[in-house]
Structures are given as C-alpha cells and as structure tokens.
Amino acid sequence: MKLSSAKTQKVLSYFRTHPELILAVTAFIYGLMFLPAIIIQDDLKFVSSVDTIKNTLKLVYSQYYTWSSRVIINLVWYLVLKFGKIAWALYMAVSAYVLLRALRMLSVDSDNSTLISWFCAALLMMFPGVFFVTAGWIATTTSYFGPQAFGVMALVPIKKCLKREKISKWEWIFYCICLIYAANAEQMCVVLLGCYLTAAVYLFIRKKNMPMIWVLLVLTLASFVFMLLCPGNWARKDQEIIRWFPTYGMLNFVDKAEIGLTTTLHRMFAEGSLIVLCLCGMMAFLVWKRYQNFLFRCVSVVPVIVVLLFGPLKNVLDVIFPYASYVGYDIDYYGAFSVGAGGVGVGRVQFVLLMFTALCAAAEVFLLNDTVPGLLADLVLILTGVGSRVMMAFSPTVYMSNVRTYSTLAVCLFALAMHIFSHNVSYVNEREKKYAKYIMAGIILFGFVDLACLVATYGHS
C-alpha cells in the first residue's frame, strides 16, 4: 500500500513539474475515445467516392462550383475518411492538442503552469459532444472542431507580437498554415478577420510596425474574398431556400439579424450551456474576490443566476414562478419580434432579459481587465464569437445546421475564459486553487464519461 502511494505521489509530482504532459495525455486519450464510433450520415454518403486520391481531388474541385468554398477542409475530411478511423482518431488527438497548446500559449500567467494546464483540459471537456454528430462524425469534426482548434492557434501570433516575443521561421510558417486552414471555415474566418483587423488598427495607432500581423491579415482577407466569390456557396443557397426555409425571402436584413442574435443569446443563457455557466460562475467569483463594491457584485451574479434558473434549475423555476419560465421557451421560428406576434408577447421579454444578461456579462469582462489590449482582446472575442453565429441567420440553413454552428462561439469563449482566468489567478489564494483543481478534475472525468456514452450509443441503434 505504501509502495502504491509512493508511486502515485511520484506520478503526480511528475505532472506538477511537467504541466505540458497534462495537455499531451488529455489529447491522446481524447483521440482514442472516438475509435468505437461508426460511419454514418454524410460520412456514409461520401465514403465510396473517395476510393482514390484522384477521385477525391475531382470531388473537391467539383464541389467548389456546386456546393462549398471549403476546399481545404473538404479535402482533409475526405482524406481522413479514406484512411479510416485510426486516421480520424489521430486527427482528433492532434486537433485537441493544438487547441490545448494554443489556449496555454494565450495565457498571461507563468507562475501557475500546472493549474492553467488543468484549466485547459477542463475547457476541452466542456466542448459539447452533440456538436460532433449533426452531420456525421468525421464530416462534423473535420469541418468544425479541427479548423476551430487551428484557428485558436492562429491567434497566438497576435499575443506574441504584442509581447514582442521572438517568432522563428518555422513557427511563422506553422501559424500561416494554421490560419489558412482555419479561415477556410466561414465562421472561423469571421473571427480571425475581426481579431487581426483589430490588432492591425491597434498597432497602427500605437505606431508599432509588426509585418507578421499585416501578412496574416492579408491571408485572412484573401480567404474571406475567396469565400464570397465561390460560385458553389451561391448555388447552394438557392437550393437550401427551397428545401429548408421557403419563406426566407420574406425576411429583411433586420429580421435576419434579430433571429441570429436572439437565438444565439438564448442558446448561451437559457439552454443550460455548461461552458457559459462555468464562465459566468468563474467571472462572478473573481469579481467578488477583486471588488467590495455592492453594485459590481450584484451585476456579476446576474448572468450566473439567469443561466442556472433557465438551465439546470428550470424545473424549480416552473414551480415557483411558472410564468417567468416562459422566458426560457424556444425562440419563435421568425424571431422574438415576429410579424405573427405583432410586436407583443413573450418574445420581447425574452429579448430584453437576454440582452440585459449579456450586458452584465460584458460589464464583468470590463471589471476583470486592467489593460487596454486585454480588454480589446476579450471584447473582440465576444463580438466575433457571437457574430460567427449571428451570421448564420443570413443563410437559409440557420435552423437546419443545428447546434454545430455554435461551436465557433464555444472556442471563442474558451479563449476568453483562459485570458480572464490567467489574468486574475493571482487574486485566488492557495486553498481556493486546490478546490479549483478538484472542480476541474470533476469536469474532466464527467466530460470523458459523457463523450464515451455518446460514442458508444450514437448511431449504433
């Protein structure tokens, strides 16, 4: 027993002195978790079309004119599909490690490496598994999770340039590859464009010459233009209106923007999102640690209370305040201010409450930042993350695309959480850090269990 305890302590001590190992082990196990999954949906539809490299390239080329601008992403999808589940598990492990490593590199604290590594692992395990399965396992993960992971890594040069850290030639090439791959996804392209445009303007105002930022901004702009000019995207839109949203043409710009914004905020604050719940809880805790002001503390608890009442405690709210629970109901198909409702009804109450909650969360971000670059980074992550989902309302597949369109917002919230946590971890005492590790360990454990159950059951019936 003593020998076993000594070995356990030795292993734990090794992890403490090698925090990077936490990321590698988590990513490796994460990749292995997907091996029992089966080929279904879009994967099953295209598996016979990628029998040779030549046929795969022909398929990608033809789809540029008929279906999508995601030529790089689709090529990766078909290649992974061609080489089987071992290749897919490796792809998921590499993508997970890239995401974890990027989050770790975006940290602004160097004195709590082990705690921050555990925090990174906990964030990964909060990524909802339901995002992986809405179009087929390999199709969805290579179209969303992988590009988003590399997209977060593509944000690292902004931090390095602001900190004037040295970037080697090989790192430079790697970041360019990450950005090109990530920006081939429409939603991630919007996030990268917003971040690099803000960074370029900020550096220009501060009269700092950073050529790498301008090069990466040009690459992002090129990807954005490529996306806009792709004939397949426009051809697909006409087909999708007929198939998925026949009355889409009746909506004007404001209607579409309102649908996008309201459904996005509803998903964040009224559907029990674990990511948002943990982020709001963490920010409220840190505001209470940093400030004694009564108003600041009241504002900080509003988002976490709203997320709890309309999420995990929804049944309690139904009993105590049955009419208030209407706010948590699904948003009307035509938005909170639909013509059918005539501008009245619960929709406007939903919109006001969700916007108020969002403004309270934004106020917390302001309170937990001490520098202009830090505040700018967090606000841009929030705005582009939310914007990446709002933009889906300008497509007739806004509802058909399902929850996977929230995944880019999720990784933006990961990056936001990492910055807020690492910037304010010095206000947390050692005892609280110890409890935080227990919470993170619990999230990681149950996250793996949840993923295992999903892989073992989805598509097997």
Side-chain angles (χ1 to χ4, degrees):
M1 189 70 178
K2 288 182 178 179
L3 182 61
S4 177
S5 178
K7 287 183 177 180
T8 301
Q9 290 299 322
K10 186 176 180 179
V11 171
L12 292 175
S13 176
Y14 191 79
F15 274 101
R16 280 193 291 269
T17 55
H18 298 80
E20 290 294 330
L21 191 60
I22 297 171
L23 308 183
V25 171
T26 302
F28 178 73
I29 297 174
Y30 193 75
L32 291 179
M33 296 286 289
F34 291 92
L35 284 175
I38 60 174
I39 303 298
I40 53 174
Q41 295 170 298
D42 286 359
D43 294 331
L44 193 60
K45 177 181 177 182
F46 287 101
V47 68
S48 60
S49 302
V50 295
D51 51 344
T52 65
I53 299 295
K54 184 179 179 180
N55 287 340
T56 300
L57 293 174
K58 282 184 177 180
L59 180 60
V60 171
Y61 179 76
S62 66
Q63 286 183 334
Y64 171 75
Y65 292 97
T66 61
W67 193 248
S68 175
S69 59
R70 300 180 189 175
V71 291
I72 301 174
I73 287 173
N74 286 346
L75 178 60
V76 172
W77 166 26
Y78 296 141
L79 289 177
V80 171
L81 187 62
K82 172 180 170 56
F83 290 106
K85 287 197 292 184
I86 298 294
W88 179 47
L90 179 62
Y91 175 87
M92 291 302 292
V94 171
S95 297
Y97 182 74
V98 167
L99 176 59
L100 291 169
R101 190 76 178 87
L103 290 171
R104 182 69 186 85
M105 294 171 76
L106 290 173
S107 164
V108 296
D109 183 275
S110 58
D111 298 324
N112 295 275
S113 297
T114 304
L115 181 64
I116 288 174
S117 292
W118 283 112
F119 187 66
C120 291
L123 287 174
L124 173 66
M125 298 318 302
M126 282 191 279
F127 196 89
V130 68
F131 290 174
F132 295 141
V133 295
T134 53
W137 285 103
I138 302 176
T140 310
T141 51
T142 55
S143 297
Y144 292 89
F145 181 73
Q148 288 154 4
F150 283 88
V152 177
M153 181 60 80
L155 295 175
V156 172
I158 297 177
K159 182 204 169 187
K160 283 182 172 286
C161 287
L162 289 173
K163 296 288 185 181
R164 294 193 174 276
E165 297 178 17
K166 185 178 179 181
I167 302 176
S168 69
K169 179 181 69 174
W170 296 111
E171 282 183 294
W172 200 96
I173 294 172
F174 174 68
Y175 292 135
C176 288
I177 293 172
C178 288
L179 185 138
I180 292 170
Y181 178 47
N184 196 226
E186 300 90 340
Q187 289 180 282
M188 202 66 215
C189 184
V190 169
V191 173
L192 291 169
L193 184 59
C195 291
Y196 273 98
L197 192 58
T198 303
V201 171
Y202 175 79
L203 291 170
F204 178 78
I205 292 173
R206 296 297 300 272
K207 297 180 180 179
K208 294 181 179 180
N209 185 27
M210 297 289 178
M212 184 174 188
I213 295 296
W214 291 100
V215 170
L216 292 172
L217 174 60
V218 169
L219 287 175
T220 310
L221 281 169
S223 298
F224 187 74
V225 172
F226 178 79
M227 176 182 71
L228 291 179
L229 297 180
C230 173
N233 288 338
W234 299 102
R236 182 179 64 177
K237 185 174 182 178
D238 294 335
Q239 299 175 39
E240 289 171 338
I241 289 176
I242 298 171
R243 184 176 183 183
W244 302 111
F245 207 147
T247 55
Y248 184 76
M250 298 171 61
L251 303 176
N252 59 31
F253 179 89
V254 175
D255 294 330
K256 295 171 186 176
E258 186 269 310
I259 288 174
L261 180 60
T262 310
T263 54
T264 301
L265 294 180
H266 189 273
R267 173 72 186 182
M268 291 175 66
F269 298 115
E271 297 183 27
S273 169
L274 178 61
I275 300 169
V276 177
L277 176 59
C278 290
L279 176 59
C280 291
M282 180 192 74
M283 291 198 299
F285 172 76
L286 291 172
V287 168
W288 279 64
K289 291 292 293 183
R290 290 191 55 171
Y291 299 96
Q292 300 296 319
N293 185 285
F294 177 75
L295 178 61
F296 290 172
R297 289 186 167 187
C298 287
V299 168
S300 72
V301 299
V302 169
V304 71
I305 289 175
V306 170
V307 177
L308 281 171
L309 287 179
F310 294 104
L313 301 181
K314 186 178 184 302
N315 290 335
V316 176
L317 185 66
D318 284 338
V319 174
I320 300 176
F321 298 108
Y323 297 105
S325 65
Y326 287 173
V327 177
Y329 285 15
D330 289 342
I331 300 297
D332 185 87
Y333 193 80
Y334 292 99
F337 298 94
S338 64
V339 175
V344 298
V346 74
R348 59 181 179 177
V349 181
Q350 288 177 307
F351 185 81
V352 170
L353 177 62
L354 292 171
M355 282 299 297
F356 178 70
T357 305
L359 290 173
C360 288
E364 289 183 90
V365 172
F366 180 82
L367 291 171
L368 293 172
N369 270 288
D370 302 303
T371 65
V372 172
L375 179 60
L376 271 177
D378 287 346
L379 292 178
V380 171
L381 282 171
I382 294 170
L383 291 174
T384 56
V386 171
S388 72
R389 176 56 183 69
V390 173
M391 66 177 275
M392 292 306 300
F394 293 90
S395 166
T397 61
V398 56
Y399 293 115
M400 184 280 295
S401 296
N402 213 299
V403 295
R404 64 178 180 268
T405 57
Y406 295 94
S407 56
T408 300
L409 171 59
V411 295
C412 287
L413 293 179
F414 286 170
L416 170 67
M418 172 52 67
H419 182 260
I420 293 290
F421 178 75
S422 61
H423 182 70
N424 293 276
V425 71
S426 59
Y427 294 94
V428 182
N429 62 44
E430 291 304 317
R431 184 182 180 186
E432 290 163 343
K433 289 177 184 176
K434 182 178 180 181
Y435 288 136
K437 285 183 181 179
Y438 290 141
I439 294 172
M440 293 171 196
I443 291 173
I444 294 168
L445 174 62
F446 284 102
F448 273 122
V449 171
D450 185 61
L451 181 59
C453 291
L454 177 66
V455 174
T457 58
Y458 191 84
H460 285 266
S461 58

